[in-house]
Amino acid sequence: MPPTITTQPPRFATAEAVARIAAASRRTQQPQSRGDLVSLAMGEPDFDTPHLVTEAAHASLRAGRTHYSPLLGEPALREALAEKLTGLAGTAVGAADILVTQGGTAGLAASILGIVNPGDKVVIPDPTYSLYADLVSMAGGTVVPVPLAPDLHWDLDRLADALTGARLFVFCNPSNPTGIVHSREELEALAELLDATSTIVISDEAYSDLDYTGRPFTSAISLDGLRDRTVYCQTFSKSYAMTGWRVGYLWGPSALIQASARIHNTFNGSVNTFVQDAALAAVRSCDEDVARMREAYEQRRDIMRTELAAIPGLTLSSPEGAFYQFPRYDLDLPSVEVVAALRAHGVAVRPGSEFGAQGEGHLRLSYAASAQAITEGVRRLAEGLSALR
């Protein structure tokens, strides 16, 4: 008679939040370019940080600015950001309601964990940036994904249904992964849907300086119908090519920023003092650098679109901002398998399914790469897709 096998629970069990994140997460780590691999997967500028920013950090370090910063952030930086947001919002913004964070991701974490209770309904577009769902799962909330319309903008009818009873709506504009830019008319429609409700909005505007539509970018905080319910999340990573510096900020209703600060201070503490001095230089002095990089991204978008248009079986998106293409392919294969096959042909891209169930059948390509890398990467992409047919 075989011995009885009993299953014992692990001696050192981890928190249920870890299991919730693991069960929900679609996030994958993609490689950077190397000798035998061209990466069109990274959501990271390939430009160096502007010289004035780096010099400001050097000067700050030489001046001994290496001690703890105030938990909400350096007063000079918060005042400069308040001035900038006053112009964006069209109304006075006070520095007291600005929280400097450890990058945009820490800002998103602090705001979502400061808002969402276990069981709360949180609406997100599908597809969208995958970190939102992970953080909602960490908080114990319930994610309600809403499929986009065929043009990758919001399906307002579906969104209206989903928002009933929602605690929170989280979106990015311009969008990762689709590259679309939500218009003033869309945001006004959202404001109308939320009128007289208690639903909170988080507007992640990390790519707001990378808008190629030719019309003024509309921030959620510029609309009277959204400003009072919106937490504005921003980062220095994309506009200023400062991904490794890890600095971002939040602004919004005082009670929500205070809650976010409580979470951020518990998890992260204050942001490095000399990094905030560098960020202040970016705000004050680097508009021309931002404009130069934006122009380069627009040119690279056109190069990538031209190269992709020559590949049979791809349906291209029409990116209006950020630095992503989100084409649909006609192969009957999951996107993770397509990405694995393409890796064997020397090009890395991201699977559309990483960004939600509705992203399946798509690939996300980044044109935050040199023109040469884009051309060679798309050539390898074409070879890989052809081999799969």
Side-chain angles (χ1 to χ4, degrees):
M1 181 175 179
T4 301
I5 299 175
T6 59
T7 302
Q8 297 292 333
R11 182 180 177 190
F12 301 111
T14 57
E16 292 179 1
V18 177
R20 290 198 299 269
I21 296 170
S25 182
R26 296 173 176 266
R27 292 167 64 78
T28 59
Q29 180 64 41
Q30 295 290 344
Q32 296 179 328
S33 290
R34 57 178 190 265
D36 61 340
L37 182 72
V38 175
S39 179
L40 302 179
M42 301 295 290
E44 176 176 25
D46 70 324
F47 295 104
D48 290 334
T49 301
H51 177 71
L52 288 174
V53 175
T54 304
E55 284 303 304
H58 287 169
S60 181
L61 288 168
R62 289 193 295 267
R65 297 270 290 159
T66 57
H67 298 280
Y68 286 134
S69 171
L71 286 171
L72 292 178
E74 286 295 312
L77 176 58
R78 293 168 67 216
E79 288 289 348
L81 293 173
E83 181 179 347
K84 180 176 182 177
L85 291 187
T86 293
L88 184 63
T91 190
V93 167
D97 292 327
I98 288 178
L99 169 67
V100 181
T101 62
Q102 301 274 0
T105 52
L108 289 167
S111 54
I112 289 174
L113 294 175
I115 292 169
V116 178
N117 295 306
D120 279 348
K121 177 181 178 181
V122 179
V123 176
I124 61 173
D126 184 0
T128 195
Y129 181 38
S130 56
L131 180 64
Y132 307 148
D134 289 9
L135 290 169
V136 173
S137 297
M138 183 177 181
T142 300
V143 175
V144 179
V146 180
L148 299 174
D151 65 357
L152 301 179
H153 286 259
W154 293 329
D155 183 325
L156 291 172
D157 291 335
R158 282 180 159 176
L159 192 58
D161 291 339
L163 285 171
T164 302
R167 170 71 168 166
L168 178 65
F169 176 53
V170 188
F171 72 98
C172 50
N173 189 28
S175 173
N176 174 13
T178 66
I180 65 93
V181 176
H182 294 296
S183 66
R184 174 171 290 273
E185 291 73 22
E186 281 182 278
L187 291 168
E188 288 173 343
L190 174 65
E192 186 174 343
L193 291 177
L194 296 180
D195 187 37
T197 74
S198 59
T199 301
I200 299 166
V201 171
I202 294 177
S203 184
D204 176 1
E205 301 185 13
Y207 300 94
S208 59
D209 285 319
L210 306 180
D211 179 345
Y212 322 119
T213 61
R215 62 179 184 259
F217 176 78
T218 301
S219 170
I221 64 172
S222 70
L223 298 183
D224 292 342
L226 290 177
R227 186 184 307 111
D228 291 343
R229 68 171 73 242
T230 296
V231 175
Y232 173 88
C233 183
Q234 189 55 272
T235 177
F236 284 76
S237 293
K238 314 300 182 180
S239 299
Y240 300 105
M242 292 177 66
T243 50
W245 296 74
R246 308 315 304 140
V247 57
Y249 58 99
L250 298 175
W251 176 78
S254 295
L256 298 182
I257 296 303
Q258 289 171 15
S260 298
R262 175 69 68 180
I263 299 293
H264 190 269
N265 296 344
T266 302
F267 266 83
N268 303 104
S270 58
V271 176
N272 300 345
T273 305
F274 70 90
V275 168
Q276 293 186 68
D277 292 344
L280 179 59
V283 174
R284 287 178 170 171
S285 307
C286 292
D287 287 352
E288 290 185 4
D289 296 279
V290 173
R292 171 180 55 83
M293 289 186 280
R294 192 209 67 81
E295 183 178 357
Y297 289 134
E298 188 170 13
Q299 293 170 354
R300 295 172 182 187
R301 177 196 66 167
D302 295 341
I303 292 170
M304 179 175 278
R305 185 172 179 82
T306 298
E307 298 293 331
L308 289 173
I311 301 177
L314 285 185
T315 301
L316 303 190
S317 60
S318 298
E320 304 164 314
F323 36 61
Y324 304 116
Q325 261 280 354
F326 199 60
R328 173 177 283 279
Y329 58 84
D330 65 355
L331 299 168
D332 188 20
L333 289 171
S335 57
V336 290
E337 292 186 18
V338 174
V339 166
L342 292 174
R343 185 84 60 87
H345 284 267
V347 60
V349 299
R350 299 189 93 97
S353 60
E354 175 183 338
F355 303 92
Q358 298 301 313
E360 187 56 272
H362 293 77
L363 302 171
R364 196 202 75 174
L365 287 71
S366 169
Y367 48 89
S370 69
Q372 295 80 3
I374 291 169
T375 300
E376 177 60 18
V378 174
R379 185 190 69 78
R380 297 182 185 191
L381 178 92
E383 285 184 352
L385 293 176
S386 177
L388 288 171
R389 295 190 180 282

